C-alpha cells in the first residue's frame, strides 16, 4: 500500500525558507504570490494490513515534529483511498522526561 | 567525576567535549556509540555533542533522538542524571522530548559561525553555578538550525520557572525570547546552541566555557 505523508509547518510558525522562496519568485517577476510555505512529502510503501493507527503513530513518533509541524496522510491504493487524518496537534512531549 | 559523551554518525564536537571534560574532571570520558543500549555505571554527567548527526536527515537531531542509546539517556535523565546537549545535542534533546520546543532554520537563513555575547540568566543551576546572574560571557556558535521555537504558553512557563539559562545579548538566529540555553523542569538537563567546550583555555580566545564544567564538578564534589 502506497502512502503519502505531507508534513507542513503549523500556521504561525515562521518559515524562513518559504520566505526566501517567496523573495526569489518575486525576483523572477512573479508578483502575485501572497505567501509561500515549504513542507515535506514522505512516500511510504507499507504492508496492506497496516492500520490507520499505526500510520498515525509513525507520523507522531518520527515523521513530523508536532511541536512545529502538522501532517496529513493520503493513501494511493485503489479501493483504499482514504480521506487522510486530521492534522496532528499532540501535546508537548516534555512530560516524557 | 565519571562522564560520558554520546557519539552519533555525523557528530563532530564529541572529541572537543571529551577534551573539555577531561581537562576539568581529570578523567577521560567514556565515548558511547549510538547503537549501544546501556550507559556505564557511576556517571555524574552525560554530554550530547554538536555536529550533524545522521546528516541532519528529516530534521536536525530527529533520527539521533530515536537511536538506541537515547532511550537509556532519557531514562537516566528521568532519574535525575545531568545531561548537557550542545548545538546538535540541544536539537537531539528537544527531539527526544527532554526539553520543550524545537530548533528551526535560522531566521536569516545563514549558517552563523562566530563568537556571540550571552547573558547568564540563571546562575543557580548545576550547569551555571560557576557564573553570576546577569553576567555577559562570550561563546562561539556554529549552527544553521538554532532558531528556538515554542508556543507562547511554553515560553511564559519556562521564563516563569527560571529555566532560561543563557540568552543571546545580540541578534543571532531569531530565537524566541532570544533563548540560547534552556533547562528542563528539574534543572538536570541543559540544552544550548553555543559551544562552552570550545572556550576552555586562553588559546581558544578565552575560558568562559570552562566555568560551566567547573561549576558542575564543584557541585557534584567528585
Amino acid at each position: 500500500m502506497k502512502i503519502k505523508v505531507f508534513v507542513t509547518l503549523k500556521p504561525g510558525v515562521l518559515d524562513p525558507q518559504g520566505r526566501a522562496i517567496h523573495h526569489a519568485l518575486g525576483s523572477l517577476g512573479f508578483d502575485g504570490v501572497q505567501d509561500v510555505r515549504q513542507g515535506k512529502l514522505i512516500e511510504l510503501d507499507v504492508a496492506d494490513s497496516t492500520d490507520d493507527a499505526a500510520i498515525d503513530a509513525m507520523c507522531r513518533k518520527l515523521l513530523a515534529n508536532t511541536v512545529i509541524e502538522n501532517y496529513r496522510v493520503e493513501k494511493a491504493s485503489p479501493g483504499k483511498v482514504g480521506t487522510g487524518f486530521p492534522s496532528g496537534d499532540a501535546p508537548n512531549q516534555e512530560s516524557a522526561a | 567525576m565519571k562522564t560520558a559523551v554520546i557519539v552519533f554518525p555525523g557528530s563532530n564536537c564529541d572529541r572537543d567535549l571529551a577534551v573539555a571534560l577531561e581537562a576539568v574532571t581529570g578523567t577521560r570520558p567514556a565515548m558511547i556509540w549510538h547503537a549501544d543500549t546501556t550507559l556505564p555505571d557511576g556517571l555524574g554527567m552525560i554530554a550530547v555533542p554538536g555536529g550533524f548527526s545522521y546528516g541532519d536527515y528529516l530534521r536536525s537531531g530527529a533520527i539521533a533522538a530515536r537511536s538506541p542509546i537515547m532511550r537509556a539517556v532519557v531514562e537516566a535523565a528521568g532519574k535525575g542524571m545531568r545531561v548537557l546537549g550542545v548545538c546538535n545535542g540541544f536539537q537531539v534533546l528537544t527531539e527526544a522530548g527532554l526539553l520543550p520546543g524545537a530548533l528551526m532554520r535560522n531566521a536569516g537563513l545563514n549558517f552563523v559561525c562566530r563568537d556571540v555575547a550571552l547573558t547568564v540568566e540563571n546562575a543557580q543551576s548545576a550547569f551555571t553555578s560557576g557564573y553570576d546572574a546577569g553576567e555577559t560571557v562570550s561563546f562561539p556558535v556554529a549552527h544553521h538550525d538554532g532558531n528556538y521555537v515554542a508556543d507562547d504558553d511554553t515560553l511564559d512557563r519556562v521564563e516563569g520557572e527560571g529555566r532560561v539559562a543563557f540568552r543571546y545579548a545580540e541578534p543571532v538566529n531569531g530565537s524566541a525570547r532570544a533563548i540560547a540555553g534552556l533547562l528542563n523542569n528539574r534543572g538536570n538537563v541543559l540544552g544550548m546552541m553555543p559551544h562552552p567546550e570550545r572556550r576552555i583555555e586562553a588559546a581558544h580566545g578565552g575560558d568562559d566555557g570552562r566555568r560551566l564544567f567547573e561549576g558542575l564538578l564543584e557541585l557534584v564534589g567528585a
Side-chain angles (χ1 to χ4, degrees), chain A residues 20 40 61-63 65 94, chain B residues 58-59 66 95 109 163:
Chain A
K40 294 186 188 100
K61 288 187 174 176
L62 179 63
L63 303 182
N65 179 342
E94 191 189 9
Chain B
L58 190 63
R59 298 176 302 274
R66 279 88 180 166
E95 282 281 347
L109 290 174
R163 289 164 53 184

Side-chain angles (χ1 to χ4, degrees), chain A residues 7 9 13-17 19-20 40 42 60-65 67-69 92-97, chain B residues 58-59 62-63 66 74 78 95 97-102 104-107 109 147 149 154 157 163 184-185:
Chain A
V7 180
L9 287 174
V13 174
L14 182 71
D15 179 10
Q17 294 177 107
R19 188 174 283 185
K40 294 186 188 100
I42 301 168
R60 286 177 178 274
K61 288 187 174 176
L62 179 63
L63 303 182
N65 179 342
V67 174
I68 50 170
E69 294 169 330
N92 194 298
Q93 296 170 8
E94 191 189 9
S95 54
Chain B
L58 190 63
R59 298 176 302 274
I63 309 286
R66 279 88 180 166
V74 169
E95 282 281 347
L98 287 176
L99 293 168
M104 297 187 57
R105 183 52 43 97
N106 293 342
L109 290 174
N147 182 353
V149 174
T154 302
R157 181 164 50 88
R163 289 164 53 184
N184 70 342
N185 47 9

Side-chain angles (χ1 to χ4, degrees), chain A residues 15-27 36 38, chain B residues 105 107-109:
Chain A
D15 179 10
Q17 294 177 107
R19 188 174 283 185
I21 295 166
H22 192 181
H23 180 77
L25 286 171
S27 303
V36 178
Q38 178 178 310
Chain B
R105 183 52 43 97
L109 290 174

Side-chain angles (χ1 to χ4, degrees), chain B residues 141-178:
Chain B
V141 295
H143 61 248
H144 213 170
D145 296 320
N147 182 353
Y148 183 75
V149 174
D151 60 48
D152 285 338
D153 288 348
T154 302
L155 291 169
D156 289 343
R157 181 164 50 88
V158 298
E159 295 258 25
E161 293 171 354
R163 289 164 53 184
V164 178
F166 297 99
R167 212 185 293 274
Y168 298 112
E170 57 183 284
V172 175
N173 52 26
S175 282
R177 315 269 174 102

Side-chain angles (χ1 to χ4, degrees), chain B residues 78-94:
Chain B
K79 292 177 182 165
M81 172 71 72
R82 293 186 179 84
V83 180
L84 169 68
V86 176
C87 200
N88 188 221
F90 187 7
Q91 296 159 347
V92 171
L93 296 184
T94 59

